[in-house]
Amino acid sequence: MSSYIARRLLLILPTLFGILLLNFLIIQAAPGGPVEQMIANIQGHGAGNTDRTSGSSGSFESTKTNTNNTDYRGAQGLPPEVIADIQKLYGFDKPAYQRFLDMVVSYATFDFGDSFFHNKSVIDLIIEKMPVTISLGLWSTLLIYIISIPMGIYKAVSHGSRFDVWTSFFVVVTSAIPSFLLGILFIVLFAGGSFLDWFPLRGLTSPDFDSMTWFEKIKDYFWHLALPLTAYTIGGFATLTLLTKNSFLDEINKQYVTTAKAKGLTEKQVLYKHVFRNAMLIIISGFPAAFFSIFVTGSLLIEVIFSLDGLGLLGFESVLNRNYPVIFGTLFIFTLFGLVIKLISDLLYMFIDPRIDFESRSI
């Protein structure tokens, strides 16, 4: 066990390096980086307009001083020294390989730098946005498991029944509809779109949240989460429901179930004392990875649609603005967490079923 864990931990380092390198090369090849956006902003709005970078850092003061003395709206463009100042501000005065090596060295000490367009460090931004994403990911995962597992078990037990047929139809239909389309539909129907105005359109809490009682705060919190949670839960429970059903069906048809029934055990005793543990292996062991998947990727479009100020919305805006420190910082953290979660899932699988032995297998 210890050697297996050690090998998996050692593999994290080259995996992180490879992912960072690949994404660095892709992003460097993409047009419209922060330097180009700053130049276009100065040329398009005049020298005095620095709204987009007013919170980036104090080092912008030198660029702002230079640009305040000259009008750069003309066809001649910006002076070379101003462009050099902008490149230095964003670290583009160095060659690409040097920027990548500096980033790797900094990330080795968990120093992710500062955001280009916020007056905060990357780690502070992530901590600030994390509660919203955790709320959406945690409650969505719990709801999906609470609905999917009982439904999947009952579908397996009543395989071929009318309930099984109709719920299968519902599962197939909902799995074909993306969560973000359900979110848009809910906004139109229930959030002041074309019909009803029952739920808030944006945010996780009301403006007067701090002045509420604890009961009012809980009610307000779930009132704001109602639509995004419903949209994601409906769009995400289909896979787990079918996985649960197929897992239980596979176990129910095995010989040991027939033997247990022949010994006089009831259907419930066979189901919950014998079948349940074996069938739930893959479902329980996959819980950490399922939660992390929802936490990282599932909430992106939902956060954007419902204006929830979480990590999904932060990542979306960072890609649009070419906010490289935030892009690479979140990529590094999420990749590291994903690799650790994968290891935890394997260890949990071994804990639930001691017959599983990854130690004797190649990774």
Side-chain angles (χ1 to χ4, degrees), residues 58-117:
S59 60
F60 181 69
E61 294 298 323
S62 61
T63 304
K64 188 167 65 175
T65 302
N66 289 336
T67 58
N68 280 337
N69 298 328
T70 311
D71 185 6
Y72 302 111
R73 297 187 188 186
Q76 300 301 319
L78 299 178
E81 60 271 16
V82 175
I83 296 178
D85 286 338
I86 297 174
Q87 291 175 333
K88 184 177 181 181
L89 171 65
Y90 293 120
F92 281 78
D93 56 329
K94 302 176 182 179
Y97 74 89
Q98 184 63 51
R99 297 199 306 273
F100 178 74
L101 292 177
D102 291 344
M103 182 180 68
V104 171
V105 172
S106 299
Y107 283 15
T109 59
F110 292 94
D111 178 13
F112 304 110
D114 297 325
S115 168
F116 286 162
F117 305 118

Side-chain angles (χ1 to χ4, degrees), residues 253-268:
N253 293 325
K254 289 185 177 178
Q255 184 62 41
Y256 75 88
V257 174
T258 304
T259 303
K261 289 180 180 179
K263 291 181 178 181
L265 295 180
T266 65
E267 292 283 349
K268 287 187 177 181

Side-chain angles (χ1 to χ4, degrees), residues 30-347:
V35 174
E36 290 81 0
Q37 292 195 24
M38 169 63 79
I39 293 174
N41 184 58
I42 294 176
Q43 289 177 326
H45 297 88
N49 190 321
T50 57
D51 290 342
R52 291 190 63 188
T53 56
S54 58
S56 57
S57 67
S59 60
F60 181 69
E61 294 298 323
S62 61
T63 304
K64 188 167 65 175
T65 302
N66 289 336
T67 58
N68 280 337
N69 298 328
T70 311
D71 185 6
Y72 302 111
R73 297 187 188 186
Q76 300 301 319
L78 299 178
E81 60 271 16
V82 175
I83 296 178
D85 286 338
I86 297 174
Q87 291 175 333
K88 184 177 181 181
L89 171 65
Y90 293 120
F92 281 78
D93 56 329
K94 302 176 182 179
Y97 74 89
Q98 184 63 51
R99 297 199 306 273
F100 178 74
L101 292 177
D102 291 344
M103 182 180 68
V104 171
V105 172
S106 299
Y107 283 15
T109 59
F110 292 94
D111 178 13
F112 304 110
D114 297 325
S115 168
F116 286 162
F117 305 118
H118 304 82
N119 192 22
K120 294 180 181 179
S121 65
V122 172
I123 194 67
D124 287 340
L125 273 176
I126 293 175
I127 293 174
E128 177 185 321
K129 311 295 184 182
M130 192 171 289
V132 175
T133 302
I134 288 180
S135 294
L136 188 58
L138 177 62
W139 292 116
S140 297
T141 305
L142 291 178
L143 282 175
I144 288 172
Y145 269 74
I146 289 172
I147 295 173
S148 299
I149 292 177
M151 182 181 292
I153 294 174
Y154 194 72
K155 282 174 65 64
V157 173
S158 59
H159 179 62
S161 66
R162 183 174 299 178
F163 173 83
D164 181 42
V165 173
W166 281 107
T167 52
S168 296
F169 174 78
F170 178 74
V171 166
V172 170
V173 171
T174 54
S175 65
I177 304 175
S179 298
F180 71 91
L181 285 182
L182 288 174
I184 295 173
L185 177 63
F186 289 159
I187 289 175
V188 173
L189 294 179
F190 304 114
S194 302
F195 297 92
L196 304 174
D197 191 9
W198 288 352
F199 297 94
L201 179 59
R202 62 188 67 235
L204 195 60
T205 56
S206 298
D208 57 341
F209 183 80
D210 293 333
S211 61
M212 296 179 180
T213 63
W214 67 269
F215 178 76
E216 291 174 337
K217 287 182 178 180
I218 294 175
K219 180 181 177 182
D220 182 76
Y221 170 74
F222 284 105
W223 181 48
H224 282 76
L225 275 179
L227 292 185
L229 275 181
T230 303
Y232 194 81
T233 302
I234 291 177
F237 82 100
T239 301
L240 185 59
T241 300
L242 296 178
L243 177 64
T244 303
K245 176 190 174 181
N246 293 333
S247 180
F248 272 80
L249 269 181
D250 184 58
E251 293 296 324
I252 288 173
N253 293 325
K254 289 185 177 178
Q255 184 62 41
Y256 75 88
V257 174
T258 304
T259 303
K261 289 180 180 179
K263 291 181 178 181
L265 295 180
T266 65
E267 292 283 349
K268 287 187 177 181
Q269 288 176 327
V270 174
L271 180 64
Y272 293 107
K273 288 187 177 181
H274 297 277
V275 175
F276 188 84
R277 180 178 179 179
N278 294 329
M280 289 294 292
L281 275 175
I282 189 172
I283 299 169
I284 296 175
S285 62
F287 178 82
F291 170 70
F292 184 75
S293 176
I294 294 175
F295 177 78
V296 175
T297 61
S299 63
L300 171 59
L301 292 177
I302 295 295
E303 287 184 12
V304 173
I305 291 171
F306 288 95
S307 299
L308 297 175
D309 194 14
L311 293 176
L313 185 60
L314 175 66
F316 176 75
E317 293 176 343
S318 299
V319 172
L320 291 182
N321 296 328
R322 302 297 193 271
N323 198 346
Y324 293 160
V326 176
I327 294 174
F328 287 115
T330 53
L331 174 68
F332 179 88
I333 292 175
F334 289 156
T335 303
L336 178 60
F337 282 174
L339 293 172
V340 173
I341 288 294
K342 177 60 177 174
L343 176 59
I344 293 175
S345 296
D346 290 344
L347 296 179

